[in-house]
């Protein structure tokens, strides 16, 4: 169990060859509503881009601990892209590219180094500087409060998200953010893909805080894969709900902003048309999407989760249910690919089960359609996913992450990424034309950042960051030029010729030898 899903995440890092994109390819920025009704941007998260990990009073998060324990090819985010020092340069680059919005996260342990209590003035100043710089360049800040980075001090003190104490501390942290930045920040996301965070952090143990139990995970020194994913998710949902309630009561009327939660989702299709695979596909959607979205929309977990997890999934009290229901203005979605779902109901016969055994599916790559090791990219899956989400009352949606990973080898010639973005943005347009209430799209990622599983071995960036250069110089890839010309209103038709140097050494020659 578990290895199927893990294989898929690992495959996100695979090298991808050129692909043919079918469907809508000839469109322009003007086919979408103008800002602020719809924004195009790009994203990052604090630990992946800031660096200055132990500078100016920041303390480690569980992600620092994970990165320093050898999970990411010996790499870590101590320096990352050094955006902490280079934010002006980066915002300038964003403006040049034509970004209308930038999605970034606040490092809780930079702002409040003890997790709770005093605010770090240097942290406050950094985020004020970044936000002001963005606004001065006409770029909307879209802020995430939590992106895999529980302050280590709270993990040590009470077990982080396994404890209800984290709810109170998170709300207090969020309150500082709303109070200090809310006059300029209109879009707040409480948690980034908590479904993946708890699945990999508390079931398989592959991501921070690396908790799991045998036989479900490997090499964990502590944890309980049968119960902890459900407990952590419940506390995260209640932290989200309390935070949203605080924002709606105390800040929204004055600051006029919006608050939401983000989830990760593949588009799932049945492996075969057999009834059990079709039912398994619905089950996968209930476990991945419904786990968080059903509480937000209906005030409770999906029936199938309650049935399969039994007493291991917490029950919402009446008060909790009322608080969580309706606690969002928008849903954030991280979407990269389509996956196939095969029934694995046999796993329900095991006496001891983890979350994945409760889900009772095998998630497969659509391998048959692609050469070995290559990722099943299916732009149409985004439109299908958005159609599916309409079923939840057509909530406002931001595509918070979408992009393509490739090995970092110095090439700036990323035609596959360009085609990927073109395909998915076209698919998004099709969904919008059919009534999807999607209000924004962010590529992952603006720069080649420190990646969660892969360190610096691969990247999704529009811009390459030269790690061999002590100034960590940024170089635009073809995809940056394509996105920029799209954002500036030009046609996206793929026969458009983009003149660009194909790799870093060419680029350096043409720019530095004059
Ligand atoms: C953090 O807690 C320690 C010990 O309680 C205290 O000495 C320190 O001043 C606190 N730091 C901040 C920034 O609140
Ligand atoms: C688990 O630990 C063993 C022995 O230390 C090591 O060989 C293996 O690679 C580890 N597995 C993972 C998934 O970290
Ligand atoms: C996990 O917790 C459940 C419920 O408390 C318990 O029955 C089970 O033995 C625990 N498993 C481990 C590996 O500790
Ligand atoms: C499932 O049925 C549809 C419609 O009949 C068909 O297009 C599709 O190829 C079938 N899929 C599989 C995996 O057999
Ligand atoms: C996956 O396989 C199914 C069935 O063969 C096919 O209908 C579908 O187009 C394939 N590709 C993707 C990416 O979904
Ligand atoms: C670099 O990687 C890309 C795909 O990520 C590949 O197309 C290209 O051939 C590679 N170049 C070299 C020099 O390895
Ligand atoms: C368009 O939206 C309608 C209403 O939500 C839905 O019934 C229909 O299936 C959608 N069309 C496509 C092609 O997805
Ligand atoms: C970049 O281009 C130069 C000159 O054309 C070539 O020698 C070199 O192999 C290329 N490097 C990569 C990584 O593609």
């Amino acid at each position: 169990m578990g290895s199927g899903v893990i294989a898929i995440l690992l495959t996100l890092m695979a090298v991808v060859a050129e692909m043919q994109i079918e469907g809508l390819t000839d469109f322009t920025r003007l086919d979408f509503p103008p800002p602020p009704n719809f924004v195009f941007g790009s994203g990052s998260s604090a630990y992946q881009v800031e660096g200055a990990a132990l500078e100016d009073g920041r303390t480690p998060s569980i992600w620092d601990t994970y990165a320093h324990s050898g999970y990411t090819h010996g790499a870590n985010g101590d320096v990352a892209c050094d955006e902490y020092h280079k934010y002006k340069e980066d915002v300038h680059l964003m403006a040049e590219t034509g970004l209308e919005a930038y999605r970034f996260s606040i490092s809780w342990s930079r702002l409040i180094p003890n997790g709770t209590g005093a605010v770090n003035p240097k942290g406050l100043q950094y985020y004020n500087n970044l936000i002001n710089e963005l606004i001065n360049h006409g770029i909307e800040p879209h802020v995430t409060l939590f992106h895999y980075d529980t302050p280590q001090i709270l993990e040590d003190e009470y077990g982080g998200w396994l404890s209800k104490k984290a709810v109170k501390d998170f709300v207090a942290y969020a309150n500082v953010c709303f109070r200090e930045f809310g006059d300029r920040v209109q879009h707040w996301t409480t948690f980034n893909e908590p479904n993946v965070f708890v699945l990999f952090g508390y079931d398989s143990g592959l991501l921070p805080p690396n908790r799991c139990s045998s036989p479900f995970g490997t090499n964990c020194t502590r944890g309980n894969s049968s119960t902890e994913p459900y407990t952590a998710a419940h506390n995260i949902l209640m932290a989200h709900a309390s935070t949203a309630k605080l924002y709606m009561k105390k800040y929204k009327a004055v600051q006029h902003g919006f608050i939401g939660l983000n989830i990760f989702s593949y588009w799932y299709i049945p492996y075969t048309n057999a009834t059990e695979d079709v039912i398994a596909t619905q089950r996968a959607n209930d476990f991945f999407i419904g786990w968080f979205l059903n509480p937000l929309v209906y005030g409770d977990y999906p029936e199938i989760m309650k049935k399969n997890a039994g007493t291991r999934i917490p029950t919402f009290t009446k008060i909790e249910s009322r608080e969580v229901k309706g606690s969002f203005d928008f849903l954030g979605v991280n979407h990269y690919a389509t996956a196939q779902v095969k029934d694995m109901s046999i796993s329900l016969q095991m006496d001891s089960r983890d979350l994945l055994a409760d889900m009772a599916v095998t998630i497969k790559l659509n391998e048959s359609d692609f050469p070995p090791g290559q990722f099943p990219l299916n732009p149409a899956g985004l439109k299908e996913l958005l159609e599916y989400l309409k079923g939840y009352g057509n909530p406002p949606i931001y595509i918070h992450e979408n992009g393509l990973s490739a090995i970092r080898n110095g090439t700036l010639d990323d035609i596959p990424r360009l085609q990927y973005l073109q395909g998915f943005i076209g698919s998004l347009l099709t969904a919008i034309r059919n009534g999807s209430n999607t209000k924004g799209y962010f590529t992952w990622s603006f720069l080649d950042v420190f990646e969660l599983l892969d360190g610096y071995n691969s990247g999704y960036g529009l811009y390459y960051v030269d790690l061999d250069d002590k100034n960590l110089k940024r170089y635009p890839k073809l995809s940056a030029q394509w996105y920029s010309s799209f954002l500036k209103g030009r046609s996206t038709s793929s026969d458009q010729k983009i003149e660009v140097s194909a790799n870093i050494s060419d680029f350096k020659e043409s720019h530095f030898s004059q």
Side-chain angles (χ1 to χ4, degrees), residues 269-271 338 340 366 368-370 376-378:
I269 54 175
Y271 184 62
T338 292
Q340 289 173 312
N366 209 349
S368 56
D369 293 351
F370 293 86
L377 303 164
N378 175 27

Side-chain angles (χ1 to χ4, degrees), residues 286-307:
D286 284 337
F287 271 77
F288 265 85
I289 298 174
W291 190 7
F292 287 83
L293 197 48
N294 279 39
L296 261 53
V297 175
Y298 307 118
D300 200 1
Y301 293 118
E303 287 305 320
I304 190 70
M305 292 194 76
K306 295 196 285 184
K307 178 164 174 250

Side-chain angles (χ1 to χ4, degrees), residues 85-290:
H85 296 111
K86 292 178 166 300
Y87 70 92
K88 282 193 177 172
E89 182 188 323
D90 284 344
V91 172
H92 182 74
L93 219 47
M94 290 172 207
E96 250 180 30
T97 311
L99 296 196
E100 297 157 3
Y102 179 51
R103 172 179 183 250
F104 64 94
S105 77
I106 291 178
S107 161
W108 182 350
S109 62
R110 188 185 293 289
L111 194 61
I112 304 178
N114 277 353
T116 171
V119 174
N120 171 16
K122 291 271 179 59
L124 200 57
Q125 189 185 354
Y126 171 66
Y127 293 111
N128 271 323
N129 288 346
L130 173 60
I131 291 164
N132 291 341
E133 194 72 12
L134 288 166
I135 287 178
N136 290 339
H137 284 81
I139 300 169
E140 274 185 14
H142 285 234
V143 176
T144 306
L145 295 173
F146 182 89
H147 199 117
Y148 286 91
D149 53 354
T150 318
Q152 185 64 49
I153 196 167
L154 300 184
E155 191 72 21
D156 296 341
E157 192 182 318
Y158 54 66
W161 291 108
L162 293 173
S163 168
K164 282 191 195 312
K165 288 182 185 165
V167 176
K168 185 171 118 298
D169 288 344
F170 182 80
V171 175
Y173 154 61
N175 187 44
V176 171
C177 295
F178 300 151
R179 188 185 70 214
E180 299 293 336
F181 312 126
D183 56 335
R184 286 151 294 152
V185 173
Q186 301 263 289
H187 294 87
W188 296 100
T189 302
T190 51
F191 291 87
N192 175 67
E193 54 186 43
N195 50 353
V196 175
F197 174 65
V198 298
L199 180 57
F200 286 85
Y202 298 85
D203 187 346
S204 70
L206 208 69
L207 293 180
N210 303 100
R211 296 181 65 94
C212 63
S213 59
S214 180
F216 307 110
T218 38
N219 295 358
C220 296
T221 50
R222 70 204 97 179
N224 185 333
S225 301
S226 302
T227 55
E228 289 186 0
Y230 295 111
T231 309
H234 196 77
N235 289 330
I236 286 172
L237 272 164
M238 291 321 301
H240 162 80
S242 307
T243 302
K245 185 172 158 192
L246 168 76
Y247 187 76
M248 287 172 181
K249 278 201 161 159
K250 192 168 158 192
Y251 293 99
K252 198 175 169 71
V254 189
Q255 299 181 346
H256 312 294
F258 306 93
I259 189 158
L261 177 78
N262 166 288
I263 56 170
F264 174 95
S265 187
Y266 294 111
W267 171 241
Y268 294 114
I269 54 175
Y271 184 62
T272 71
N273 282 332
T275 309
E276 60 266 27
D277 285 346
V278 173
I279 294 172
T281 302
Q282 181 56 48
R283 197 159 61 239
N285 276 323
D286 284 337
F287 271 77
F288 265 85
I289 298 174

Side-chain angles (χ1 to χ4, degrees), residues 261-500:
L261 177 78
N262 166 288
I263 56 170
F264 174 95
S265 187
Y266 294 111
W267 171 241
Y268 294 114
I269 54 175
Y271 184 62
T272 71
N273 282 332
T275 309
E276 60 266 27
D277 285 346
V278 173
I279 294 172
T281 302
Q282 181 56 48
R283 197 159 61 239
N285 276 323
D286 284 337
F287 271 77
F288 265 85
I289 298 174
W291 190 7
F292 287 83
L293 197 48
N294 279 39
L296 261 53
V297 175
Y298 307 118
D300 200 1
Y301 293 118
E303 287 305 320
I304 190 70
M305 292 194 76
K306 295 196 285 184
K307 178 164 174 250
N308 290 4
T311 56
R312 289 176 290 114
I313 190 166
T315 305
F316 285 106
T317 65
K318 280 222 171 71
I319 292 171
E320 284 179 339
S321 172
R322 251 203 314 273
E323 187 161 305
V324 78
K325 185 175 172 178
S327 63
F328 71 117
D329 294 314
F330 65 84
L331 178 71
V333 173
N334 295 350
H335 174 76
Y336 290 91
T338 292
Q340 289 173 312
V341 178
K342 197 170 169 1
D343 178 62
M344 259 291 273
S345 288
I346 195 162
S347 70
L348 292 169
Q349 290 171 16
M350 300 181 342
D351 287 337
S352 168
R353 299 200 292 272
D354 65 340
L355 175 85
L356 290 170
D358 291 336
M359 199 184 319
V361 302
T362 307
I363 293 171
K364 297 176 81 74
L365 301 167
N366 209 349
E367 285 170 71
S368 56
D369 293 351
F370 293 86
Q374 294 183 6
F375 200 60
L377 303 164
N378 175 27
L382 175 58
K383 183 226 149 214
E384 297 301 331
L385 175 61
L386 291 171
E387 288 292 339
Y388 179 80
L389 293 171
K390 272 160 79 177
Y392 280 95
N394 205 8
I397 287 175
Y398 286 88
I399 305 302
H400 272 156
E401 292 183 15
N402 177 241
L404 183 64
S405 160
I407 302 295
R408 280 175 79 148
N409 61 11
T411 183
L412 299 173
D413 174 359
D414 61 344
I415 296 282
R417 179 173 293 106
L418 180 165
Q419 291 177 322
Y420 178 103
L421 297 177
Q422 181 181 32
F424 279 81
I425 293 172
S427 177
L428 171 61
L429 181 57
T430 310
I432 291 172
R433 286 182 170 161
N434 197 42
S436 164
N437 195 9
T438 304
K439 304 182 86 62
Y441 171 92
F442 294 79
T443 71
W444 182 267
S445 47
F446 185 63
L447 305 175
D448 275 342
V449 299
F450 174 68
E451 279 298 337
L452 191 50
L453 287 158
D454 212 34
Y456 299 103
N457 285 10
S458 62
Y460 293 78
L462 300 173
Y463 285 81
Y464 177 81
V465 177
D466 185 358
L467 299 175
D468 296 326
D469 171 12
K470 69 172 176 9
N471 292 317
L472 299 173
K473 192 165 166 49
R474 286 85 160 114
Y475 296 89
K477 301 180 193 173
L478 279 180
S479 57
Q481 310 208 10
W482 177 85
Y483 198 44
S484 181
S485 84
F486 165 68
L487 293 175
K488 290 170 185 168
R490 272 166 240 153
S491 160
T492 61
S493 149
S494 51
D495 29 279
Q496 123 182 247
K497 298 275 179 292
I498 300 176
E499 300 276 337
V500 72

